[in-house]
Amino acid sequence: MRSADPEFVRGAYLLADNLYPTPYLFVALAAVAVVLGGRGILPSWFAWLSGIVAVLNFLGGISVKASGFFATNDGGAIVIAGLALAVWVLAANWILWRRPPLHEPLLPKSAA
């Protein structure tokens, strides 16, 4: 059996470690989009929540230190960003679940 090159394994591990927080940057961008585009459509409190989530997820997305609060795998910034994402998704689902439809259904009315 052939063993892997230790330097390659270390490099692959470091690369994967640094790619882990990347999705939080996309969540931050989505939250900013809600802040900028959701006025009048979504409740104002959700825009404030989205702004906070954007900042927390941005901090989680730039967490690439080996240890401490900005550590990649177990740092506080990553944990807080994940919790903020969960709260944001639950709040968005709650808004959509309680909101009445904006238009009539697209299905044709049955002839009775």
Side-chain angles (χ1 to χ4, degrees):
M1 185 165 119
R2 193 173 141 188
S3 65
D5 178 24
E7 287 301 312
F8 173 78
V9 172
R10 181 176 183 278
Y13 176 77
L14 290 174
L15 176 66
D17 221 21
N18 286 329
L19 290 177
Y20 177 73
T22 304
Y24 290 110
L25 293 175
F26 292 108
V27 171
L29 289 174
V32 167
V34 168
V35 170
L36 296 177
R39 296 187 181 165
I41 299 172
L42 298 169
S44 61
W45 63 265
F46 190 68
W48 282 100
L49 177 67
S50 297
I52 294 167
V53 167
V55 170
L56 294 175
N57 275 272
F58 179 76
L59 291 175
I62 61 171
S63 298
V64 292
K65 294 192 89 174
S67 62
F69 184 74
F70 290 106
T72 302
N73 285 329
D74 57 356
I78 291 286
V79 173
I80 291 170
L83 292 173
L85 172 61
V87 168
W88 190 58
V89 168
L90 289 173
N93 283 307
W94 183 76
I95 290 169
L96 294 174
W97 179 58
R98 294 187 42 97
R99 175 159 246 166
L102 296 175
H103 56 79
E104 292 293 320
L106 297 176
L107 297 174
K109 294 182 180 182
S110 62

